[in-house]
Amino acid sequence: MTQALQPPDPWLDACRAVALVSVDPAGLGGLLVRSPAGEVRAALLVRLRRGFLSAGEAKPPLVQIAADVSAAQLLGGLDLDRTLALGRPVASRGALARANGGLLTLAMAERMSGATAALIAAALDSGETVTERDGFSERAPARFGIAALDEGIAADERPPAAIRERLAIHLDLTALSHRDMGEVAAVDIGAARARLAYGVIPDGVIESLCAAAAMLGVSSGRAPLLAVRAACASAALDGRNIVSSEDVTFAARMVLGPRATRLPPSAQPADEAPPPPEEREDDNPSPEQNAEGEVKALDDVVLAAAAAAIPPDLLRLFQENGQRAHRAQDSGKSGDSKKRGLRGRPIGSRRGDLRGNGRLDLLETLRSAAPWQKLRRRQAPARDAIQVRREDIRLKRFKDRQASTTIFVVDASGSTAMDRLGEAKGAVEMLLADCYVRRDEVALIAFRGTGADLLLPATRSLARARRSLAALPGGGGTPLASGLAAAERLADEVRRKGRTPTLVIITDGRANVARDGMGGRERAQSEANDAASSIRAHHLKAILVDNSPRPEPKARGIAERMGATYLPLPIVNASILSDAVRAHHAKPAAGAPR
């Protein structure tokens, strides 16, 4: 069995990780810091920048970019001012080329688009940028380290995978405060960089890191390579040329632990005791056996160190579900995204016509026209005028994210549903708290007796939601079909207002009242199935929460018919339900076109 390791000091680990990135920025790629803006993150960034500045005689560049940076700003393009002044195309250097030999800071990396992340990832892989636009082609060196700042609120808000995979160190500082920041001795980054080229990796280190990655479910082949680079940088930082077991365990903790997707198996089954001394074959093992034992011991230590670094929330998730939950990149953000012509987040420009309703992108229009000014002035002389033609016109493109509305459909027909309304109340209140950030709305439909009632129209008012839930009556039959039909009508109304609806249906699925208010389980269940199929046909996102004491097959069947996520209520609480709703806002509905 691998022995439990003492929990490390997160602040000391973070400071040492920053020093490693300063020693080998291009080899490690950089670090991902998940933390809100505050004193802890600011102090860590100061240490990182000081490490880069103290690494050599020349002052390295420190470049910062925002999440919505354009491709022209990243890669470079036409220098508009100089082009117009000189009458010939003049190239400008992009942020990636300017960061060569230094540090590139990505602010709010969780909001970065996949296209932007792909451009940065290509520069990390090749060590250069290639600019082919505006009539010229240029290559520039781009070897730098990255500090990606993740300010995501929800657990599933993450920077793009292309960035996460290429950054060796992943730090989560959300639980740290300024009281946890102790004094850390300064290190000589310049001497460590000079020593890095002469590092020696002992036999078995690479194999141990690869074995640990495999046991932790780390599928990326980059992770063990990054861990090796981190171990070499750790040895150089301590003034050594040979990598030690402490360097390897630290690298495993920093690089492999945060990437784990499963718990490692035990090194030895719990019911299997070690053989007694008299049954061992040889009390004097050979040198080959000694070497094999040392490699095995290193494997155990590396695996234990990496397993100790797995975040506690991840451990809980593995123990409950047996696997890691994979969620959409945009989980937690409101609604579906649509490309629009007049508002939203800018996503570049396109060739267009001003006779439409588009918005002129003046800078891109001038960039398109600038290289042709000398030729156009020869053809049609004009004094100190920039000649812009129809083919030069560029219109702005925007990507707008629709606001979302969560529609709770609560089965209030019997005592079981009454007992479970606490979860609905807690989830509604948690979602309303998020509305101040995400601008979401919440609505409430209850069905009981012979029909369904809209108790709370779409609103962001916490007081109205509480009053409606408190006044929710219970008892009577289960008109499930009426409840589903009312939810579909409200969702259609929400869509017409330009919002994205998500249904959260809390029921046991056992319908016994038809849509006309008459009893009859068989007809009521058939109409409920038809209403569920209609929800799927209209591509509505839905979650069905089974509120029966044990998982009910009829509720699961209803969920399958509507293409909804099925959650049995015994394992659901308000927090889990709220997280599930947040994840479904960005998830495509079943059968929806992609």
Side-chain angles (χ1 to χ4, degrees), residues 245-490:
S245 59
E246 289 78 10
D247 301 322
V248 180
T249 55
F250 182 78
R253 200 165 70 239
M254 291 291 99
V255 180
L256 301 183
R259 288 173 163 82
T261 60
R262 64 167 177 255
L263 291 172
S266 299
Q268 179 175 297
D271 56 353
E272 180 181 336
E278 60 272 15
E279 294 182 6
R280 295 175 182 171
E281 296 181 358
D282 192 356
D283 291 336
N284 297 311
S286 64
E288 292 78 6
Q289 291 174 327
N290 280 332
E292 183 179 352
E294 292 176 0
V295 172
K296 179 62 177 175
L298 181 60
D299 289 349
D300 294 342
V301 171
V302 171
L303 183 60
I310 300 177
D313 291 342
L314 206 57
L315 289 173
R316 176 184 58 80
L317 185 62
F318 295 157
Q319 291 168 348
E320 290 179 357
N321 302 330
Q323 60 184 3
R324 187 175 187 174
H326 296 281
R327 291 177 177 170
Q329 167 63 25
D330 289 333
S331 297
K333 300 174 184 177
S334 299
D336 297 330
S337 59
K338 291 187 177 181
K339 293 181 180 178
R340 299 179 181 269
L342 298 177
R343 65 180 182 179
R345 180 183 298 178
I347 57 172
S349 60
R350 61 178 176 84
R351 180 177 294 181
D353 193 332
L354 286 176
R355 290 176 295 182
N357 60 351
R359 291 174 58 182
L360 176 66
D361 191 334
L362 181 58
L363 288 179
E364 289 300 322
T365 299
L366 292 178
R367 285 194 178 97
S368 177
W372 307 98
Q373 294 305 302
K374 195 172 184 178
L375 179 60
R376 290 175 182 176
R377 285 171 183 168
R378 289 177 183 172
Q379 296 174 348
R383 188 183 209 175
D384 298 331
I386 300 175
Q387 298 188 29
V388 178
R389 298 182 180 178
R390 179 177 297 179
E391 61 267 22
D392 301 325
I393 298 298
R394 297 293 184 268
L395 302 180
K396 292 182 179 180
R397 299 170 64 230
F398 298 93
K399 187 176 183 181
D400 188 20
R401 188 169 293 280
Q402 292 180 315
S404 60
T405 299
T406 302
I407 303 173
F408 283 87
V409 187
V410 182
D411 184 349
S413 60
S415 59
T416 303
M418 290 288 291
D419 294 338
R420 299 299 185 178
L421 289 183
E423 279 76 8
K425 295 177 183 180
V428 169
E429 294 189 9
M430 292 181 68
L431 288 171
L432 283 173
D434 293 339
C435 288
Y436 293 101
V437 177
R438 301 202 325 261
R439 299 181 181 273
D440 292 351
E441 291 183 346
V442 175
L444 177 63
I445 294 175
F447 59 93
R448 57 182 290 272
T450 60
D453 298 315
L454 176 61
L455 300 183
L456 179 67
T459 181
R460 274 180 268 163
S461 171
L462 183 59
R464 290 187 63 191
R466 285 175 173 170
R467 288 197 299 267
S468 299
L469 289 171
L472 178 60
T478 307
L480 179 57
S482 298
L484 297 180
E488 182 181 331
R489 289 194 299 270
L490 181 58

Side-chain angles (χ1 to χ4, degrees), residues 102-170:
L103 176 68
L104 181 69
T105 303
L106 310 181
M108 302 183 74
E110 77 281 358
R111 294 174 177 257
M112 183 168 290
S113 67
T116 302
L119 296 176
I120 299 175
L124 286 175
D125 292 343
S126 62
E128 65 177 6
T129 60
V130 180
T131 305
E132 295 180 343
R133 53 178 297 158
D134 300 328
F136 60 88
S137 176
E138 186 176 73
R139 291 178 179 267
R143 295 181 60 82
F144 49 81
I146 287 180
L149 308 181
D150 180 3
E151 300 179 11
I153 298 176
D156 42 26
E157 286 185 291
R158 287 286 188 266
I163 296 295
R164 298 199 312 269
E165 183 181 355
R166 287 165 172 81
L167 303 186
I169 310 295
H170 294 185

